[in-house]
Every structure is written in C-alpha cells, then in structure tokens.
Amino acid sequence: MNKKKSGNTSRVINFKKLLREPVLLLSILIVFYLLTVFVIFPLFQVFKTSLTFEGKLGFGNYIEVMKKSYYIQPFINSMILGVLTATIGTFIGFIFSYAITRTPMKGKKIFRLIATFPIVSPPFVIALAAILLFGRSGVFGGMFGNIYGLKGLVLVEVIAYSPTAFLALVGVLRAIDPSLEEAAMDLGASRLRVFRKVIFPLATPGIVSAWLLVFIQSVADFGNPMIISGDFSVLSVQAYLQITGMYDLPRGATLAILLLIPTVAAFYLQKYFLSKKSYVTVTGKPTAATIKNLEWYIKLPVYSLCVFFAGVVLLFYGMVFYGSFQKLWGVDSTLTLDNYVQMWRVGKGYIFDSLIIASIVTPITGFFGMFIAYLITRKNFPGKNLMEFSSMLTFAVPGTVVGIGYVVAFNTTSAIMPFTLTGTGLIIIILLVFRNMPVGIRNGVAALQQIDPSIEEASIDLGADSGTTFRKITLPMITPAFFSGLVYSFVRSMTAISAIIFVVSGKWNLITVAILGFVDNSQYAQAAAMSLLLIVIVLIALGLIKLITDKLGQGMNSATVVE
Amino acid sequence: MRQDYLVLKDLTKKFGKGDAVVTAVDGINLTVKEGELITLLGPSGCGKTTTLRMIAGFHTPTSGDILIDGDSVNTLPPNKRPTAMVFQNYALFPHLTVRENISFGLKVRGDNKEEIIRKVDEIMNLIGLNGLADRQPRELSGGQQQRVSLARAMIMEPKVLLFDEPLSNLDAMLRVSTRLEIRKLQQRVGITSVYVTHDQEEAMTLSDQVIIMKDGLIQQIGAPVEIYSHPCNRFVAGFIGKANFLDATIKDINNEQLILDFMGKEIIAPHWNKSLKQGDSVVIVARPESVIIDEPSEDCIEGTVINSVYFGSQMLYEVKITDDLIFRIEVADPQQHIQYSAGIKVGLTFKDRSLHILSAKEGAL
C-alpha cells in the first residue's frame, strides 16, 4: 500500500514539473495528436473495415477468407516466399558479412558497395532486370523456364533483401571480439570448431534477428511481386488488386490484416532477439590478428560466394543499364537514346512531383523524428511508452496496410481529421513523413544514447529550460545522425511504392508509380531508363548529403549514412 | 551566517514500482551551515549521489523536504534551482569553446554581454584557465576540463554548489593537488557546498563535516577528526581509515579509564562512552598506527609476523594472533625501528589514548 502511494506522489510531481514547461507539454500533446491521427487511426480503420461484412460488423470476411482457397492461398504463398527468401538471404548475408569482418579478402569496400546497392535503389528494379534477363524475350530467356512465379520471386527478393541481412550481421560479427577466437584456437580448437562453438553461438541472436528482418521485408514487398509474381498470388498484391481492381475495401482490408499479423509478430520477435545479444563483447578496437592466415578451405567457398553474388548484382543492374539503351527489347538491339527521350516526355511530371514531395518530406521527417527521439530518450512524461510504440509502428506495418489505412481513413472527414485528404499532395507527404520517421527516430535514439545525459543535465542545471537545451546542446551534437536520417528519408521518399500507390492521384503522381506503369505496358526499356534516372538522382542526393555531413560532423560521433 | 542554509528533512527516494521498490535514500535529515563544505561519503549504492541529485532537482524525492536558504525547492525544476553542479565526467559541451561553456548559464539567464565577458575573465583568472578561452574541450587535459567544469558552475554564484565525485577521473597526483585547490577556492569564496565522494581521504581533507552513508541511511555526521577518532560503529570505523577489531570485556572502570580483558591480557583505553558498564562485552577499535610492535614479552599480545611490506615512509605488517585474528600494523619512519620479517614472533601493545571502544551492539553494525 505504502509503496504504491509513494509511487503515485512522485508521478504527480513529475506531471507538475511538466506543467511548469508549457512549451514542452504543448509539443508532447501535438505529437500525440499527430501520431493518433496519422498512425493509429488509419490502422484502426483497416481493422474496422475488415470487420465490416455486407454492411454489418462481424467476422464475416475472415470466415470467408478461411473458407475460400482463393483468399487463404495468398497467405500461404506469402509465408512460403518469406521463409525461402529469409533463409537464403540470411545465409548469403552471413557469408558476406563473415568475409568482410573475418577474412583478409581484397576489395572489401567494393564488395560492400555492391552489396548495399539494392538498398538504395528502387525495390522493383531487380524484378525488372530479371524480366530483361530471363523473361520471354530476355537475354537468357527460357533458361530457367518461366521466370514469373515463386522461383523468379525468390531469386529477385534474395538479391533485393540479403543486403539487409548483411548490414545487420556485419554489426553483429564485428562486435564479437576476435580475441575470443584467438583464445579458442590457443586452447587447441580448430578453425571450424571455433566457428561452430564460438562465433556461431555468439551470433545466433543476430542471425535470427536478421532472418526475421528479411522475412518482414519479403512478405511486405509489393513492387517485385507486382511485376514478377505471375500466377503466384501474394497478400500485398492481392490486397491491392481487391481494392483498385474490384473496389472491394472490406476484402482488401482483411487481406491487409492477414499481412499485418505475421509481419508485426516478426518485428517484435526481432526486437526481442536483438535485445538478447547483450553478451556480445565490445572492447575498443578489434585486433584481428588471426584472420591474416586463414585456411584455404574456408577462403575458397566464402570468396567464391561473395564474387558470385556480387557478379549477379552487377549483372542485374548492368542489364537495366544496357536495356535502357536498346531500341526494342528482344527485337532490335540497336543502341539508342530514344527511350530516355520518350521517358522524359511521358514522365517529366512524375519526376518533378517526386522531387518536390521528397524535398518537402525530408526535412520535416528529420526534425520531427529527432524531436520524438529526444522526447523518448530524455524526457519523463505519462504515455512515453505509448509514444515510442506508435511512432515505431509504421516501421513494422507493411506499406500496403498503411496505404489502405490512409485510403479508408482520409476519404471522408472525421472528428479528429476535419479535412478530406484523398487526392491531395498533402496526403502523400504525410504518409511519407510518418512512414520514414521510425528510422530517423531509431538513429536519433542511438545517437542520443551515446551522449552522456549529464551534458544535458549540466545545461539544465545552469538554468536553461528543455527547449533551450535541445536547441543549443542536444541538436548540435546529434547533427550526423540527423543527416543520416535525412538521407534515409529522401531515398525512401523517392523509391517508395507499396503504400504510396494507394494515395497517388492524377494531380500528384510519383516516379515509382510511373515506372510500374511502363512495366505494366511492357515498355521495359523506358522503365529501365526511368529507373536509372531515379538511381542517379538518389546517388547525387546521397553524395550531397554526405558532403554536408562530413563538414558538419567533424570531430563528432559519426553515424552510418545508410541503414 | 545562517545556521540552516541547506536543510534536508526526512528525505526519501524510492525507485521502481510494486515489489521491485528499492529505497535509495531512507529518510535522512541534515543541516548545513552557510559557507560550509560537507561531504557525503559512502560505498557505491549508499544513496549519496541520489541525495545530491535530489538537491539539484534531477531526482524527485518520494517524500521529505529540501530547503535552501529557508525556501522549499521541492517543486522547482533543476533549471530554476539556486544550485550548480560539477559533474563527475565534467559534462562539458563538446561543441562549444571554453568561454562559451563557462558563459552558457549567464547567457541563458540573459545577463548583459559585457558583464558576462568581465565575469568569465575574472573566474578564468581565479581558477587558472588563462589563455584557454578559445579552446575546444577535447583540446584540454583532464585537469583543465575539470577546472572549466568548476568555473562553469561557480560563475552562476549558486546558493549551493554541488560536486559529484569531480576528481574520480583524474590521476592520483592531480587528484591530491586539485582537491587542495578546491578547498582553498571554496573557503575564499565562502560558497556552501555539498561534495559526494567514495574516497575517504578526499572527504577527510576537504570537509567541514563528513556524512557517512550506508544503505540509504546516515551512519554518522561529524568533523573529520571526530569521525576518525570516535567512529560510531564498526562500519564507520572500517570505512574511514583501517582498523583492527578486538572483542573484549570490561574488567573494571574508573573515571578516566576502562580496564579491558582481551584474551587474558589487560588493555587500558580512554573512557568516553559513559553508558558502558563493568562486565559488558565491547569491541576495541585499534588503528594500525596505534599498535606498537616489539619483542615478545609477558604483558604483550603475542603473534607471528606473516607478511611485511616496505613502503618507504612506513612499514606494513600483518601479524597473526589466532587463526581468526590477523592484525594490520603500520610503523611510521621504519628506519628508526627494528624491522621484522615473516615468521618472527613479536609482542604487540597499544597507544592507549588512541583506542576507541564500541559497545557490543555498535561493534556488530
């Protein structure tokens, strides 16, 4: 009894303290309002819609879904796809990260660059390349039989998402102190035994978490299956087709929920496994002495796989490049610039819309994300956990679900959102801000956790209020993380498709939607040309922001530029 | 001079909820005079830092009151409190120069620009930071960073200056000279200060009063000399300096002296604690420097040297009396004495006036 009471009093005092900082209190309330309207409300609406069957509330849609293989099949297919992609992708990612962190392989930088390429490029470019390579009129047409379907989809998604596993695992393997390996070998263990008994067990939580990350991305992927899934129907595409093709919102929403459940479950499992890796030792600079003389039977397979995978990635992107200059794909291979001319004529508007929207979205996401990261790591207020949960939610939720949520939630006015947003540029901006924000928040939280809280305490102790402390002390110190958040936000704003496709309109349209349109019309060469243009824009932006970050971030803790 | 400049009343801090409540500070009471420097001393987890952070406003007390110059500051946020803190890791703003660091608080307060420049120059001069105004914190040595941190807090002219183990990141030599400087500076400016440390030597040399804490409770409050010569229980005796503890009984009492029985030998000790009675079990606190080591003889406690370490200015012996009782003995100026090596039998006697007697109850704590 007593204990409880005292807990309450100090919470009351915390709240009283908050009342003394009206600006802080007001901004917390605004953040909560925005998160409620643009994160919680759309998801809630998807749930509600999925429960509406023939005008009444109920589980009718789910019963329907369970009964008809027509609906349950996409679910099973998505799971199969997710498991296959995640397993193969994590394997490749692990070998790659092993090669980078634990072997004296030459040209590590180049391998790294190639491996991270699929992350910054639009997600469906690989599918496009697969069609150019193995499609009906492709260079190696018919070599693997029909490329449309599970086989092609797994191939494409493995290339697209094993870099995710690679990046996650590089961190994990790097954190394992090489002196552990040395100790084990010193005690008489062979290299293979060291791997089995030391490295692998230490990396297991990281491997599981990487697997789950790839699984989520694969299940939530929309662009690649849209292009290459053929008769192999998956949830994201089916949900989209139900809504845009059949105008059946309840069924689309139900499929979206079926898509949401495994991904969100996987997301929280992943967070759990990530939190378990605490026993990984971090001891200053790793001294990697043992990697100097590695046995050939380890080097050979590891190097071969790296070279092979890098080769495949280069082949795919090279094919997009090559394809963009061909007169008529598969018929007339004369090199020409016609595709670019035509792409520009048709897609000019899309490109400008994309650039305008991305340049509005990027700074808003950056500041808003940093502010939430600051509130979460540094402030105490009621509902803090709820704020963290809801602001990270859009990261776990597949884009298709978010997109459907925005359609349902903002088609009409409601008590908490008095304007209709559908069809405006604003809805695209808002969607992108809230969808890209979680990574900014995560970067911000990581950067803030590195800064000793006593530095901010010192500022407050010297009389500065929260706002002044944030502007004068915190913000300058997290600049690098802030800019890397900007990079991510810009890249994603330019390359996003799954959620965006639901909210674009005749007035506001985006470059990725245009590329998908070209593919739909089998204008592969124009699609390739536009994809290349998009990649170039993204690379220029990355370079620019890196320049700024290097200038600003001198002597400060630098954060990784790309996730 | 106000006698109750800083007052802590029944101050309590509990962390956690439900069954996992940890009481970090358990209803402590403390009064600090204006201009005094007091030290909160104790092992880690004793609640000293929590107490300091409650005074600064970074922790909200679960119950109890904090008064500074007569006013309760409980509900004031840290930025409105008349306190300034010197942080353990200095907490210098890494992106600001030394001058910008020191003037930060004055700028926030909105002081006049020329006034700020004048004050910063003055304090940099006082603290010995001349010529470093435009440096970045990372270009300074540890000692210099520590001074900037001190200057940044002192320039605010706080009613209470708070120190959170400010010397723990300095090397041993620098620590000694810096703590002397802090003491001189504090006395010159006459600023009321609360100093947290786990280093008993630091506490002894710095403070007007030492507050010994353990498990969230104050064990003893007193001037350094008082705490060293009259510790209130076994914990304090062992924490401040080193001590040998001997279980004995009171054979006889006269006005000035206790006559004690220890393993059949008679030991004389000063009679401070008047509540002790004949026949009581007591614990003798004998500091290592209060034990005299000599050739074995009739009235001495006999033992065998098991270890001897030469420190130059002193000699440290470990002498085994029984299997459970090993004496630590320090002999100053060892060149003037016979030196005993391991295995040699010796006789021990005491410098009577330096002994301190704890009741059985105090001796158990």
Side-chain angles (χ1 to χ4, degrees):
Chain A
M1 273 299 278
N2 245 336
K3 285 172 184 171
K4 229 177 192 173
K5 206 173 162 193
S6 60
N8 276 339
T9 29
S10 76
R11 206 171 309 147
V12 168
I13 293 175
N14 266 341
F15 191 68
K16 271 188 192 158
K17 265 192 184 168
L18 204 59
L19 285 180
R20 279 167 190 277
E21 299 204 56
V23 181
L24 181 68
L25 181 65
L26 188 69
S27 33
I28 288 173
L29 290 176
I30 292 175
V31 170
F32 266 122
Y33 170 75
L34 292 174
L35 288 175
T36 311
V37 175
F38 296 116
V39 177
I40 310 280
F41 179 56
L43 286 180
F44 172 77
Q45 289 292 30
V46 177
F47 270 103
K48 211 178 117 189
T49 311
S50 78
L51 292 174
T52 316
F53 186 62
E54 288 165 2
K56 272 184 256 165
L57 273 184
F59 287 96
N61 286 309
Y62 290 94
I63 294 164
E64 193 87 333
V65 163
M66 290 301 155
K67 274 201 296 215
K68 293 199 175 154
S69 70
Y70 190 77
Y71 290 107
I72 197 76
Q73 198 58 46
F75 180 80
I76 295 170
N77 285 355
S78 279
M79 294 303 107
I80 293 172
L81 172 66
V83 169
L84 284 176
T85 307
T87 308
I88 303 171
T90 307
F91 176 75
I92 293 174
F94 185 84
I95 300 289
F96 237 87
S97 53
Y98 182 83
I100 297 275
T101 57
R102 284 291 196 272
T103 71
M105 187 169 70
K106 294 242 164 38
K108 281 183 187 173
K109 272 192 181 160
I110 294 168
F111 278 105
R112 249 193 112 104
L113 191 73
I114 292 171
T116 46
F117 217 62
I119 290 184
V120 294
S121 77
F124 45 80
V125 169
I126 315 233
L128 177 62
I131 291 176
L132 294 179
L133 277 165
F134 306 112
R136 282 163 199 129
S137 46
V139 179
F140 307 107
M143 205 167 121
F144 296 111
N146 187 4
I147 192 73
Y148 297 89
L150 178 64
K151 207 167 26 178
L153 205 43
V154 169
L155 170 73
V156 161
E157 289 196 346
V158 161
I159 296 171
Y161 299 128
S162 51
T164 307
F166 161 69
L167 283 187
L169 287 167
V170 161
V172 173
L173 286 181
R174 190 157 281 161
I176 297 173
D177 191 342
S179 63
L180 291 178
E181 269 170 273
E182 290 177 351
M185 289 180 79
D186 190 50
L187 295 168
S190 70
R191 179 88 55 181
L192 264 155
R193 205 183 165 82
V194 170
F195 182 81
R196 273 202 351 253
K197 296 281 176 186
V198 180
I199 300 183
F200 196 70
L202 281 174
T204 302
I207 292 171
V208 174
S209 122
W211 190 94
L212 288 165
L213 273 182
V214 178
F215 174 81
I216 293 171
Q217 288 194 319
S218 162
V219 170
D221 188 12
F222 172 79
N224 288 315
M226 187 68 195
I227 293 177
I228 210 171
S229 65
D231 294 334
F232 185 80
S233 65
V234 296
L235 284 170
S236 56
V237 174
Q238 277 308 309
Y240 171 72
L241 293 178
Q242 284 296 325
I243 287 172
T244 53
M246 317 273 190
Y247 301 102
D248 191 341
L249 266 179
R251 282 200 186 147
T254 311
L255 285 165
I257 296 296
L258 287 181
L259 174 61
L260 179 71
I261 293 164
T263 46
V264 170
F267 177 72
Y268 284 97
L269 260 178
Q270 189 262 339
K271 275 189 89 167
Y272 166 76
F273 276 104
L274 214 59
S275 68
K276 267 184 61 172
K277 68 165 189 179
S278 56
Y279 53 78
V280 166
T281 48
V282 184
T283 52
K285 283 176 194 156
T287 49
T290 65
I291 69 167
K292 293 263 153 56
N293 34 33
L294 213 59
E295 291 79 357
W296 65 269
Y297 59 83
I298 291 176
K299 279 187 193 170
L300 187 68
V302 167
Y303 287 16
S304 313
L305 193 117
C306 285
V307 171
F308 177 72
F309 184 76
V312 169
V313 171
L314 284 181
L315 175 68
F316 271 60
Y317 281 93
M319 194 44 62
V320 175
F321 184 76
Y322 178 59
S324 71
F325 293 104
Q326 293 217 339
K327 192 146 202 171
L328 188 58
W329 185 252
V331 179
D332 184 354
S333 60
T334 323
L335 295 183
T336 170
L337 282 173
D338 285 356
N339 298 317
Y340 284 87
V341 176
Q342 207 196 338
M343 172 272 285
W344 182 251
R345 226 182 34 237
V346 179
K348 199 166 48 186
Y350 295 80
I351 295 165
F352 284 126
D353 280 2
S354 270
L355 282 174
I356 291 167
I357 282 177
S359 24
I360 297 172
V361 166
T362 302
I364 298 176
T365 316
F367 280 107
F368 198 44
M370 275 302 154
F371 186 65
I372 291 181
Y374 171 74
L375 290 180
I376 290 171
T377 44
R378 292 293 199 259
K379 290 289 151 191
N380 250 322
F381 52 89
K384 188 168 115 165
N385 289 337
L386 182 70
M387 180 184 284
E388 184 173 9
F389 173 80
S390 49
S391 64
M392 296 303 282
L393 201 58
T394 46
F395 192 67
V397 176
T400 308
V401 183
V402 176
I404 294 174
Y406 271 57
V407 168
V408 187
F410 305 121
N411 255 340
T412 52
T413 58
S414 57
I416 47 172
M417 188 62 234
F419 312 102
T420 312
L421 291 172
T422 306
T424 61
L426 190 61
I427 193 171
I428 304 178
I429 292 172
I430 291 170
L431 190 148
L432 284 172
V433 165
F434 283 90
R435 200 149 163 69
N436 297 341
M437 208 172 47
V439 169
I441 295 177
R442 226 175 37 179
N443 281 353
V445 167
L448 284 167
Q449 276 167 351
Q450 275 177 23
I451 300 170
D452 196 317
S454 66
I455 291 178
E456 284 155 353
E457 280 176 4
S459 159
I460 288 174
D461 192 54
L462 293 166
D465 60 19
S466 296
T468 314
T469 303
F470 182 68
R471 271 185 296 115
K472 295 233 168 129
I473 304 298
T474 318
L475 206 53
M477 286 197 292
I478 55 178
T479 312
F482 173 71
F483 274 96
S484 76
L486 289 189
V487 171
Y488 177 86
S489 175
F490 183 82
V491 171
R492 280 297 130 117
S493 303
M494 292 301 288
T495 61
I497 180 78
S498 58
I500 282 304
I501 199 155
F502 290 95
V503 293
V504 290
S505 51
K507 231 169 149 193
W508 288 95
N509 222 322
L510 298 181
I511 197 165
T512 45
V513 180
I515 298 174
L516 213 56
F518 281 130
V519 175
D520 243 12
N521 297 338
S522 300
Q523 292 171 293
Y524 298 126
Q526 284 92 327
M530 203 169 210
S531 299
L532 268 186
L533 179 71
L534 178 50
I535 291 173
V536 168
I537 293 174
V538 165
L539 287 181
I540 290 173
L542 280 178
L544 272 181
I545 295 182
K546 178 149 173 35
L547 260 180
I548 302 170
T549 315
D550 285 350
K551 275 246 162 75
L552 283 173
Q554 278 165 352
M556 304 232 185
N557 45 9
S558 56
T560 40
V561 172
V562 181
E563 261 306 290
Chain B
M1 286 281 167
R2 212 182 152 124
Q3 292 298 303
D4 54 352
Y5 199 66
L6 168 67
V7 179
L8 309 184
K9 254 192 223 161
D10 297 323
L11 198 61
T12 301
K13 178 67 187 176
K14 292 177 180 177
F15 291 106
K17 285 181 203 164
D19 295 334
V21 168
V22 176
T23 307
V25 176
D26 197 357
I28 64 168
N29 286 288
L30 183 65
T31 304
V32 184
K33 285 183 211 149
E34 191 171 353
E36 212 175 31
L37 188 152
I38 65 143
T39 308
L40 302 176
L41 175 67
S44 56
C46 73
K48 55 189 192 298
T49 301
T50 308
T51 306
L52 191 80
R53 291 174 66 82
M54 280 196 280
I55 300 172
F58 295 127
H59 286 327
T60 312
T62 308
S63 64
D65 224 347
I66 300 168
L67 296 119
I68 296 176
D69 202 5
D71 303 319
S72 168
V73 295
N74 268 13
T75 52
L76 288 182
N79 50 332
K80 299 280 191 298
R81 291 196 186 192
T83 57
M85 178 128 115
V86 179
F87 289 81
Q88 180 169 15
N89 54 3
Y90 322 135
L92 299 182
F93 308 129
H95 58 300
L96 302 181
T97 63
V98 168
R99 178 179 291 281
E100 285 165 341
N101 262 284
I102 297 176
S103 57
F104 184 85
L106 299 180
K107 273 189 198 157
V108 167
R109 194 157 72 192
D111 282 15
N112 172 297
K113 258 189 190 155
E114 282 129 45
E115 179 77 4
I116 292 178
I117 294 174
R118 191 186 59 72
K119 275 190 179 171
V120 172
D121 286 339
E122 193 181 286
I123 199 133
M124 287 186 52
N125 200 14
L126 181 73
I127 291 186
L129 287 166
N130 286 329
L132 300 176
D134 299 320
R135 298 270 188 93
Q136 297 279 330
R138 63 171 176 278
E139 299 169 329
L140 301 179
S141 70
Q144 288 167 332
Q145 290 185 17
Q146 211 278 328
R147 282 158 198 263
V148 175
S149 171
L150 181 60
R152 189 178 67 178
M154 279 183 67
I155 202 168
M156 299 304 290
E157 292 167 20
K159 287 188 171 173
V160 180
L161 186 58
L162 306 171
F163 293 90
D164 183 13
E165 308 202 24
L167 305 181
S168 57
N169 286 341
L170 298 180
D171 65 62
M173 296 279 273
L174 204 54
R175 205 148 54 207
V176 172
S177 62
T178 311
R179 78 179 176 226
L180 286 173
E181 273 177 59
I182 288 181
R183 180 55 166 164
K184 271 192 231 158
L185 213 58
Q186 184 268 337
Q187 282 178 328
R188 176 134 55 112
V189 184
I191 193 164
T192 312
S193 307
V194 179
Y195 193 104
V196 160
T197 181
H198 61 262
D199 180 338
Q200 49 108 356
E201 204 179 294
E202 209 169 291
M204 301 284 276
T205 50
L206 270 172
S207 343
D208 295 304
Q209 280 194 84
V210 179
I211 289 92
I212 312 259
M213 294 184 70
K214 185 196 174 197
D215 300 336
L217 293 166
I218 290 181
Q219 303 289 312
Q220 189 169 6
I221 303 179
V225 61
E226 205 178 314
I227 288 197
Y228 189 77
S229 50
H230 300 298
C232 70
N233 59 33
R234 183 187 279 253
F235 170 77
V236 174
F239 194 75
I240 289 279
K242 296 167 198 122
N244 298 300
F245 297 103
L246 291 72
D247 295 321
T249 44
I250 300 176
K251 219 155 104 183
D252 200 2
I253 300 181
N254 62 38
N255 256 350
E256 318 249 295
Q257 286 178 324
L258 295 170
I259 295 138
L260 304 162
D261 174 60
F262 171 70
M263 290 170 64
K265 304 276 159 98
E266 200 165 86
I267 295 174
I268 312 285
H271 185 202
W272 289 94
N273 186 347
K274 300 294 180 196
S275 65
L276 293 173
K277 295 186 302 291
Q278 193 171 356
D280 281 359
S281 299
V282 294
V283 175
I284 303 172
V285 180
R287 300 289 182 190
E289 69 274 16
S290 313
V291 186
I292 301 161
I293 186 164
D294 214 332
E295 306 289 326
S297 71
E298 193 56 8
D299 300 328
C300 292
I301 299 162
E302 280 176 39
T304 314
V305 174
I306 54 172
N307 197 7
S308 68
V309 184
Y310 179 67
F311 277 101
S313 67
Q314 56 184 345
M315 190 88 185
L316 179 73
Y317 292 106
E318 285 181 327
V319 176
K320 187 162 111 179
I321 313 298
T322 65
D323 281 343
D324 303 328
L325 185 62
I326 291 166
F327 264 58
R328 291 170 61 99
I329 300 155
E330 282 169 22
V331 179
D333 204 359
Q335 279 76 2
Q336 296 292 315
H337 297 87
I338 304 164
Q339 290 170 22
Y340 303 94
S341 45
I344 293 181
K345 289 211 179 305
V346 291
L348 306 177
T349 50
F350 299 97
K351 300 172 184 166
D352 300 350
R353 296 182 53 83
S354 308
L355 294 182
H356 178 70
I357 308 302
L358 300 173
S359 69
K361 200 180 144 204
E362 291 162 347
L365 284 174

